[in-house]
Amino acid sequence: MSIDAIMQQYRAEKVPNIIRDYRLVKSGFRAGSSDTDKAEAPWWGGDIVEEAADKDYLCAKALTSLAVLNGPTDVDEIYSAWKQIKSKFKDNKQDGYDPKVAQHPFSFFRGTVLHEYLNPNSEKCLDKKLAKKVIKADVSLAETKLGEWVLDKLGVKQVAQVNTNIESLLHTQENPNFARAFVYKSKNTFADLTARALTRTPKLGVFVLGGLGAIHAGYEIADGKNIFEEVGKTALEVGTTLAGVGYLGAAGYKHLGAFGSLTGMAAGTAIGAMAPKLVKTKEETS
């Protein structure tokens, strides 16, 4: 089945089984054998069956929830990349603006299955007060005090904002509302990529990934693994993954749009998975 056919089916069926469709579409772009993918994939990358088989039920449940939550966003990004490839990279403005000029802030909930339920302007919103609190907290690292401090130290300034075609968490058909992308002025390439990487990293996503890492480490320690090794391994994997996905995704998006973003994030994920192994190998050979 072609990618276009999969997407037509995906949209027509309104995602009856989102995890199945999520994996189906991703498999259309995956290189290598499934055995290789499993061997290189980090524990949080989504092998839910394996996690459950190891009786890591809490972690498996969290991974399942994340797959359900983020499925629509991931599938739409993959489809955007596919359309870009079909245009022979003539169309790099899938989000409605030039990625070489600006970067829109990433959100943990925007575009997910909870989007409408967290939209205080939607009839489906379950609790408007809670929704407003969630929206206020669902910001990128660049919009936090820590992010602002880092950008200030690097001499990066936000000089403008541009329109996008990305629906915000406040968007409705009656009252359209779209996310704005940030235009940064920086002294050098590193500072520019740092600003973009922070803008692409949701604050809530950092907490969730760190929390899942702690849960997984807890199970490993309970099974007899060394507490210091597991904590260090988890911290290294989570840290390098966030940095790799942030920086490589930012660089890829800036130069190659949606396709570059996905490619960069995939590379960043691989780096995060390999980091603990590389450190261990270096220690053994020292």
Side-chain angles (χ1 to χ4, degrees), residues 2-261:
S2 69
I3 297 300
D4 285 330
I6 291 172
M7 286 307 304
Q8 289 176 5
Q9 179 181 348
Y10 169 83
R11 297 185 187 282
E13 293 181 4
K14 303 299 182 183
V15 200
N17 185 333
I18 196 167
I19 296 179
R20 180 199 64 203
D21 293 342
Y22 175 77
R23 294 179 181 280
L24 180 62
V25 175
K26 277 197 169 185
S27 69
F29 293 87
R30 183 178 295 153
S33 67
S34 58
D35 291 339
T36 301
D37 290 335
K38 287 184 179 180
E40 295 299 328
W43 63 266
W44 55 266
D47 197 336
I48 298 167
V49 176
E50 185 176 322
E51 291 285 342
D54 290 339
K55 298 184 179 180
D56 194 347
Y57 297 121
L58 182 58
C59 204
K61 185 176 181 181
L63 287 171
T64 302
S65 299
L66 284 174
V68 172
L69 183 67
N70 292 307
T73 302
D74 281 0
V75 171
D76 284 343
E77 286 181 353
I78 290 171
Y79 193 48
S80 293
W82 177 245
K83 289 193 295 184
Q84 186 182 358
I85 293 171
K86 288 185 69 175
S87 73
K88 297 181 180 179
F89 294 93
K90 294 179 181 179
D91 181 11
N92 287 345
K93 300 179 182 179
Q94 297 292 327
D95 294 316
Y97 71 95
D98 188 348
K100 291 184 179 180
V101 174
Q103 171 65 62
H104 68 276
F106 276 26
S107 158
F108 188 72
F109 290 110
R110 186 179 63 225
T112 69
V113 294
L114 293 182
H115 187 129
E116 288 187 271
Y117 300 100
L118 289 173
N119 183 350
N121 298 326
S122 170
E123 295 180 355
K124 293 183 179 181
C125 184
L126 302 177
D127 187 323
K128 291 188 176 182
K129 288 185 178 180
L130 177 60
K132 290 179 181 179
K133 289 182 180 180
V134 171
I135 291 175
K136 186 177 181 180
D138 189 13
V139 297
S140 71
L141 288 184
E143 300 167 278
T144 65
K145 290 184 178 180
L146 174 62
E148 291 174 353
W149 179 83
V150 171
L151 296 184
D152 181 63
K153 290 298 181 181
L154 291 174
V156 179
K157 296 186 181 298
Q158 185 189 131
V159 295
Q161 295 185 10
V162 298
N163 295 323
T164 75
N165 59 17
I166 304 168
E167 297 178 359
S168 77
L169 279 170
L170 298 173
H171 177 88
T172 64
Q173 294 300 320
E174 295 76 20
N175 297 292
N177 191 294
F178 299 90
R180 305 265 292 176
F182 302 153
V183 180
Y184 292 110
K185 182 179 181 181
S186 53
K187 298 178 179 179
N188 52 57
T189 301
F190 174 74
D192 177 63
L193 286 180
T194 299
R196 288 170 175 267
L198 291 174
T199 305
R200 292 170 58 88
T201 306
K203 181 180 73 173
L204 296 181
V206 175
F207 291 151
V208 170
L209 188 57
L212 288 176
I215 292 171
H216 185 79
Y219 277 104
E220 293 296 316
I221 293 168
D223 284 340
K225 299 290 181 66
N226 183 284
I227 183 172
F228 297 107
E229 287 184 4
E230 287 304 314
V231 171
K233 177 182 176 182
T234 298
L236 178 62
E237 186 167 343
V238 171
T240 53
T241 296
L242 288 171
V245 169
Y247 277 96
L248 296 181
Y253 185 71
K254 179 178 180 179
H255 299 288
L256 292 172
F259 174 80
S261 176

